[in-house]
Amino acid sequence: MPDISISQTHKLSQKKARAAAQKVVDQLVEEYGLATEWEGNVLFFKRSGVSGTLALHDKQAQLEITLGFLLKAFAPKISAQIEKNMKKVFGAKA
């Protein structure tokens, strides 16, 4: 079961949704040094203590992150920051 699960609706084309998803994960890469890999419409990311996916569906992006023991205490802060970023890049108005 993931420690962080965020679902974000969007009205983007598949191409634009993929670009938005990449922006979300690029920020995570910069902050946490993650390795990433696309497999179809799912972006996998991981490093020691962090792993997860960002799956793109027709009108929804689903992010799931599993945190290692040392990062679990920061889950609320990490979640809030990612949720804010996802709303911004996927164009949610409310």
Side-chain angles (χ1 to χ4, degrees):
M1 178 168 225
D3 297 298
I4 298 172
S5 183
I6 301 170
S7 184
Q8 177 65 54
T9 59
H10 65 81
K11 295 180 182 180
L12 303 174
S13 68
Q14 192 65 19
K15 183 178 179 179
K16 288 182 180 181
R18 188 176 177 116
Q22 190 65 54
K23 284 182 184 180
V24 170
V25 174
D26 284 348
Q27 182 179 3
L28 294 174
V29 167
E30 185 177 316
E31 291 181 30
Y32 300 103
L34 303 171
T36 64
E37 181 179 355
W38 280 100
E39 288 185 21
N41 288 332
V42 180
L43 181 56
F44 291 85
F45 53 90
K46 66 179 177 177
R47 70 150 225 190
S48 179
V50 179
S51 64
T53 60
L54 179 50
L56 299 177
H57 306 290
D58 281 337
K59 297 297 175 191
Q60 180 180 20
Q62 179 67 42
L63 177 77
E64 295 188 343
I65 302 174
T66 301
L67 300 171
F69 178 74
L70 295 175
L71 290 175
K72 284 189 189 285
F74 299 101
K77 181 180 178 183
I78 294 168
S79 180
Q81 183 178 9
I82 294 169
E83 190 168 358
K84 180 180 175 183
N85 192 28
M86 284 183 69
K87 284 181 182 178
K88 179 181 172 185
V89 299
F90 282 102
K93 299 297 180 197

